[in-house]
mmCIF file with all atom_site columns, all heavy atoms in Angstrom:
data_model
loop_
_atom_site.group_PDB
_atom_site.id
_atom_site.type_symbol
_atom_site.label_atom_id
_atom_site.label_alt_id
_atom_site.label_comp_id
_atom_site.label_asym_id
_atom_site.label_entity_id
_atom_site.label_seq_id
_atom_site.pdbx_PDB_ins_code
_atom_site.Cartn_x
_atom_site.Cartn_y
_atom_site.Cartn_z
_atom_site.occupancy
_atom_site.B_iso_or_equiv
_atom_site.pdbx_formal_charge
_atom_site.auth_seq_id
_atom_site.auth_comp_id
_atom_site.auth_asym_id
_atom_site.auth_atom_id
_atom_site.pdbx_PDB_model_num
ATOM 1   N N   . THR A 1 2   ? 0.512  2.181  -0.795 1.00 54.00 ? 1010 THR A N   1
ATOM 2   C CA  . THR A 1 2   ? 1.326  3.378  -0.961 1.00 54.00 ? 1010 THR A CA  1
ATOM 3   C C   . THR A 1 2   ? 0.763  4.510  -0.006 1.00 54.00 ? 1010 THR A C   1
ATOM 4   O O   . THR A 1 2   ? -0.434 4.583  0.150  1.00 54.00 ? 1010 THR A O   1
ATOM 5   C CB  . THR A 1 2   ? 1.341  3.998  -2.389 1.00 54.00 ? 1010 THR A CB  1
ATOM 6   O OG1 . THR A 1 2   ? 0.103  4.271  -2.784 1.00 54.00 ? 1010 THR A OG1 1
ATOM 7   C CG2 . THR A 1 2   ? 2.073  2.901  -3.301 1.00 54.00 ? 1010 THR A CG2 1
ATOM 8   N N   . PRO A 1 4   ? -0.089 8.267  0.638  1.00 53.00 ? 1012 PRO A N   1
ATOM 9   C CA  . PRO A 1 4   ? -0.326 9.556  -0.169 1.00 53.00 ? 1012 PRO A CA  1
ATOM 10  C C   . PRO A 1 4   ? 0.815  10.596 0.141  1.00 53.00 ? 1012 PRO A C   1
ATOM 11  O O   . PRO A 1 4   ? 1.362  10.596 1.206  1.00 53.00 ? 1012 PRO A O   1
ATOM 12  C CB  . PRO A 1 4   ? -1.668 10.110 0.357  1.00 53.00 ? 1012 PRO A CB  1
ATOM 13  C CG  . PRO A 1 4   ? -2.315 9.033  1.014  1.00 53.00 ? 1012 PRO A CG  1
ATOM 14  C CD  . PRO A 1 4   ? -1.336 8.027  1.563  1.00 53.00 ? 1012 PRO A CD  1
ATOM 15  N N   . VAL A 1 7   ? 0.616  12.764 3.274  1.00 46.00 ? 1015 VAL A N   1
ATOM 16  C CA  . VAL A 1 7   ? 0.927  12.082 4.538  1.00 46.00 ? 1015 VAL A CA  1
ATOM 17  C C   . VAL A 1 7   ? 2.466  11.985 4.723  1.00 46.00 ? 1015 VAL A C   1
ATOM 18  O O   . VAL A 1 7   ? 2.978  12.292 5.771  1.00 46.00 ? 1015 VAL A O   1
ATOM 19  C CB  . VAL A 1 7   ? 0.265  10.847 4.746  1.00 46.00 ? 1015 VAL A CB  1
ATOM 20  C CG1 . VAL A 1 7   ? 0.662  10.078 5.987  1.00 46.00 ? 1015 VAL A CG1 1
ATOM 21  C CG2 . VAL A 1 7   ? -1.223 11.001 4.727  1.00 46.00 ? 1015 VAL A CG2 1
ATOM 22  N N   . ARG A 1 8   ? 3.116  11.692 3.658  1.00 51.00 ? 1016 ARG A N   1
ATOM 23  C CA  . ARG A 1 8   ? 4.611  11.522 3.623  1.00 51.00 ? 1016 ARG A CA  1
ATOM 24  C C   . ARG A 1 8   ? 5.302  12.942 3.940  1.00 51.00 ? 1016 ARG A C   1
ATOM 25  O O   . ARG A 1 8   ? 6.254  13.005 4.494  1.00 51.00 ? 1016 ARG A O   1
ATOM 26  C CB  . ARG A 1 8   ? 5.078  10.909 2.358  1.00 51.00 ? 1016 ARG A CB  1
ATOM 27  C CG  . ARG A 1 8   ? 4.837  9.455  2.343  1.00 51.00 ? 1016 ARG A CG  1
ATOM 28  C CD  . ARG A 1 8   ? 5.454  8.841  1.023  1.00 51.00 ? 1016 ARG A CD  1
ATOM 29  N NE  . ARG A 1 8   ? 4.658  9.141  -0.068 1.00 51.00 ? 1016 ARG A NE  1
ATOM 30  C CZ  . ARG A 1 8   ? 5.040  9.157  -1.281 1.00 51.00 ? 1016 ARG A CZ  1
ATOM 31  N NH1 . ARG A 1 8   ? 6.287  8.986  -1.615 1.00 51.00 ? 1016 ARG A NH1 1
ATOM 32  N NH2 . ARG A 1 8   ? 4.242  9.504  -2.271 1.00 51.00 ? 1016 ARG A NH2 1
ATOM 33  N N   . ALA A 1 17  ? 6.933  24.433 9.850  1.00 42.00 ? 1025 ALA A N   1
ATOM 34  C CA  . ALA A 1 17  ? 5.970  25.244 10.701 1.00 42.00 ? 1025 ALA A CA  1
ATOM 35  C C   . ALA A 1 17  ? 6.593  25.671 12.052 1.00 42.00 ? 1025 ALA A C   1
ATOM 36  O O   . ALA A 1 17  ? 6.555  26.820 12.371 1.00 42.00 ? 1025 ALA A O   1
ATOM 37  C CB  . ALA A 1 17  ? 4.659  24.557 10.854 1.00 42.00 ? 1025 ALA A CB  1
ATOM 38  N N   . ASP A 1 33  ? 15.538 56.380 17.362 1.00 87.00 ? 1041 ASP A N   1
ATOM 39  C CA  . ASP A 1 33  ? 14.828 57.462 16.913 1.00 87.00 ? 1041 ASP A CA  1
ATOM 40  C C   . ASP A 1 33  ? 15.803 58.639 16.461 1.00 87.00 ? 1041 ASP A C   1
ATOM 41  O O   . ASP A 1 33  ? 17.010 58.502 16.818 1.00 87.00 ? 1041 ASP A O   1
ATOM 42  C CB  . ASP A 1 33  ? 13.779 57.957 17.830 1.00 87.00 ? 1041 ASP A CB  1
ATOM 43  C CG  . ASP A 1 33  ? 14.379 58.407 19.154 1.00 87.00 ? 1041 ASP A CG  1
ATOM 44  O OD1 . ASP A 1 33  ? 15.481 58.840 19.259 1.00 87.00 ? 1041 ASP A OD1 1
ATOM 45  O OD2 . ASP A 1 33  ? 13.581 58.390 20.145 1.00 87.00 ? 1041 ASP A OD2 1
ATOM 46  N N   . THR A 1 60  ? 23.746 61.618 10.670 1.00 94.00 ? 1068 THR A N   1
ATOM 47  C CA  . THR A 1 60  ? 22.507 61.833 11.496 1.00 94.00 ? 1068 THR A CA  1
ATOM 48  C C   . THR A 1 60  ? 21.376 62.391 10.750 1.00 94.00 ? 1068 THR A C   1
ATOM 49  O O   . THR A 1 60  ? 20.344 62.661 11.260 1.00 94.00 ? 1068 THR A O   1
ATOM 50  C CB  . THR A 1 60  ? 22.993 62.761 12.738 1.00 94.00 ? 1068 THR A CB  1
ATOM 51  O OG1 . THR A 1 60  ? 23.295 64.074 12.100 1.00 94.00 ? 1068 THR A OG1 1
ATOM 52  C CG2 . THR A 1 60  ? 24.073 62.088 13.525 1.00 94.00 ? 1068 THR A CG2 1
ATOM 53  N N   . ASP A 1 63  ? 17.987 62.315 5.133  1.00 92.00 ? 1071 ASP A N   1
ATOM 54  C CA  . ASP A 1 63  ? 17.923 62.822 3.788  1.00 92.00 ? 1071 ASP A CA  1
ATOM 55  C C   . ASP A 1 63  ? 19.344 62.799 3.127  1.00 92.00 ? 1071 ASP A C   1
ATOM 56  O O   . ASP A 1 63  ? 19.397 63.043 1.814  1.00 92.00 ? 1071 ASP A O   1
ATOM 57  C CB  . ASP A 1 63  ? 17.405 64.180 3.721  1.00 92.00 ? 1071 ASP A CB  1
ATOM 58  C CG  . ASP A 1 63  ? 15.853 64.146 4.086  1.00 92.00 ? 1071 ASP A CG  1
ATOM 59  O OD1 . ASP A 1 63  ? 15.261 63.012 4.002  1.00 92.00 ? 1071 ASP A OD1 1
ATOM 60  O OD2 . ASP A 1 63  ? 15.399 65.268 4.425  1.00 92.00 ? 1071 ASP A OD2 1
ATOM 61  N N   . PRO A 1 67  ? 24.521 56.085 5.617  1.00 96.00 ? 1075 PRO A N   1
ATOM 62  C CA  . PRO A 1 67  ? 23.781 55.204 6.713  1.00 96.00 ? 1075 PRO A CA  1
ATOM 63  C C   . PRO A 1 67  ? 23.904 55.939 8.017  1.00 96.00 ? 1075 PRO A C   1
ATOM 64  O O   . PRO A 1 67  ? 24.913 56.497 8.372  1.00 96.00 ? 1075 PRO A O   1
ATOM 65  C CB  . PRO A 1 67  ? 24.727 53.985 6.660  1.00 96.00 ? 1075 PRO A CB  1
ATOM 66  C CG  . PRO A 1 67  ? 26.054 54.412 6.020  1.00 96.00 ? 1075 PRO A CG  1
ATOM 67  C CD  . PRO A 1 67  ? 25.739 55.520 5.073  1.00 96.00 ? 1075 PRO A CD  1
ATOM 68  N N   . THR A 1 69  ? 23.983 56.664 11.927 1.00 95.00 ? 1077 THR A N   1
ATOM 69  C CA  . THR A 1 69  ? 24.639 56.124 13.114 1.00 95.00 ? 1077 THR A CA  1
ATOM 70  C C   . THR A 1 69  ? 23.705 55.317 13.979 1.00 95.00 ? 1077 THR A C   1
ATOM 71  O O   . THR A 1 69  ? 22.649 55.914 14.286 1.00 95.00 ? 1077 THR A O   1
ATOM 72  C CB  . THR A 1 69  ? 25.274 57.303 14.024 1.00 95.00 ? 1077 THR A CB  1
ATOM 73  O OG1 . THR A 1 69  ? 26.241 58.010 13.081 1.00 95.00 ? 1077 THR A OG1 1
ATOM 74  C CG2 . THR A 1 69  ? 25.907 56.784 15.186 1.00 95.00 ? 1077 THR A CG2 1
ATOM 75  N N   . VAL A 1 72  ? 21.676 49.724 12.363 1.00 95.00 ? 1080 VAL A N   1
ATOM 76  C CA  . VAL A 1 72  ? 22.534 48.583 11.940 1.00 95.00 ? 1080 VAL A CA  1
ATOM 77  C C   . VAL A 1 72  ? 22.121 48.024 10.566 1.00 95.00 ? 1080 VAL A C   1
ATOM 78  O O   . VAL A 1 72  ? 22.893 47.704 9.785  1.00 95.00 ? 1080 VAL A O   1
ATOM 79  C CB  . VAL A 1 72  ? 22.459 47.392 12.940 1.00 95.00 ? 1080 VAL A CB  1
ATOM 80  C CG1 . VAL A 1 72  ? 23.131 46.139 12.451 1.00 95.00 ? 1080 VAL A CG1 1
ATOM 81  C CG2 . VAL A 1 72  ? 22.974 47.848 14.333 1.00 95.00 ? 1080 VAL A CG2 1
ATOM 82  N N   . ASN A 1 80  ? 29.115 44.002 5.060  1.00 97.00 ? 1088 ASN A N   1
ATOM 83  C CA  . ASN A 1 80  ? 29.276 42.608 4.334  1.00 97.00 ? 1088 ASN A CA  1
ATOM 84  C C   . ASN A 1 80  ? 30.359 42.693 3.288  1.00 97.00 ? 1088 ASN A C   1
ATOM 85  O O   . ASN A 1 80  ? 30.802 41.695 2.829  1.00 97.00 ? 1088 ASN A O   1
ATOM 86  C CB  . ASN A 1 80  ? 27.988 42.208 3.738  1.00 97.00 ? 1088 ASN A CB  1
ATOM 87  C CG  . ASN A 1 80  ? 26.849 41.813 4.849  1.00 97.00 ? 1088 ASN A CG  1
ATOM 88  O OD1 . ASN A 1 80  ? 27.276 41.544 5.949  1.00 97.00 ? 1088 ASN A OD1 1
ATOM 89  N ND2 . ASN A 1 80  ? 25.690 41.769 4.472  1.00 97.00 ? 1088 ASN A ND2 1
ATOM 90  N N   . THR A 1 107 ? 43.502 58.653 10.414 1.00 96.00 ? 1115 THR A N   1
ATOM 91  C CA  . THR A 1 107 ? 44.262 57.444 10.148 1.00 96.00 ? 1115 THR A CA  1
ATOM 92  C C   . THR A 1 107 ? 43.409 56.373 9.769  1.00 96.00 ? 1115 THR A C   1
ATOM 93  O O   . THR A 1 107 ? 42.166 56.432 10.067 1.00 96.00 ? 1115 THR A O   1
ATOM 94  C CB  . THR A 1 107 ? 45.186 56.999 11.230 1.00 96.00 ? 1115 THR A CB  1
ATOM 95  O OG1 . THR A 1 107 ? 44.262 56.521 12.381 1.00 96.00 ? 1115 THR A OG1 1
ATOM 96  C CG2 . THR A 1 107 ? 46.124 58.147 11.768 1.00 96.00 ? 1115 THR A CG2 1
ATOM 97  N N   . ASP A 1 110 ? 41.531 55.419 12.782 1.00 97.00 ? 1118 ASP A N   1
ATOM 98  C CA  . ASP A 1 110 ? 40.468 56.309 13.218 1.00 97.00 ? 1118 ASP A CA  1
ATOM 99  C C   . ASP A 1 110 ? 39.225 55.985 12.427 1.00 97.00 ? 1118 ASP A C   1
ATOM 100 O O   . ASP A 1 110 ? 38.170 55.817 12.909 1.00 97.00 ? 1118 ASP A O   1
ATOM 101 C CB  . ASP A 1 110 ? 40.862 57.708 12.810 1.00 97.00 ? 1118 ASP A CB  1
ATOM 102 C CG  . ASP A 1 110 ? 41.921 58.232 13.703 1.00 97.00 ? 1118 ASP A CG  1
ATOM 103 O OD1 . ASP A 1 110 ? 42.145 57.787 14.884 1.00 97.00 ? 1118 ASP A OD1 1
ATOM 104 O OD2 . ASP A 1 110 ? 42.652 59.169 13.253 1.00 97.00 ? 1118 ASP A OD2 1
ATOM 105 N N   . ALA A 1 113 ? 37.663 52.769 13.542 1.00 97.00 ? 1121 ALA A N   1
ATOM 106 C CA  . ALA A 1 113 ? 36.929 52.923 14.867 1.00 97.00 ? 1121 ALA A CA  1
ATOM 107 C C   . ALA A 1 113 ? 35.691 53.668 14.689 1.00 97.00 ? 1121 ALA A C   1
ATOM 108 O O   . ALA A 1 113 ? 34.619 53.311 15.197 1.00 97.00 ? 1121 ALA A O   1
ATOM 109 C CB  . ALA A 1 113 ? 37.890 53.642 15.936 1.00 97.00 ? 1121 ALA A CB  1
ATOM 110 N N   . MET A 1 118 ? 29.709 53.873 14.345 1.00 96.00 ? 1126 MET A N   1
ATOM 111 C CA  . MET A 1 118 ? 28.448 54.224 13.670 1.00 96.00 ? 1126 MET A CA  1
ATOM 112 C C   . MET A 1 118 ? 27.610 53.064 13.284 1.00 96.00 ? 1126 MET A C   1
ATOM 113 O O   . MET A 1 118 ? 26.423 53.187 13.172 1.00 96.00 ? 1126 MET A O   1
ATOM 114 C CB  . MET A 1 118 ? 28.848 55.046 12.492 1.00 96.00 ? 1126 MET A CB  1
ATOM 115 C CG  . MET A 1 118 ? 29.375 56.436 12.763 1.00 96.00 ? 1126 MET A CG  1
ATOM 116 S SD  . MET A 1 118 ? 29.552 57.503 11.409 1.00 96.00 ? 1126 MET A SD  1
ATOM 117 C CE  . MET A 1 118 ? 31.028 56.757 10.634 1.00 96.00 ? 1126 MET A CE  1
#
Side-chain angles (χ1 to χ4, degrees):
T1010 62
V1015 173
R1016 284 185 283 157
D1041 60 28
T1068 61
D1071 293 339
T1077 297
V1080 177
N1088 289 345
T1115 65
D1118 293 333
M1126 290 187 286

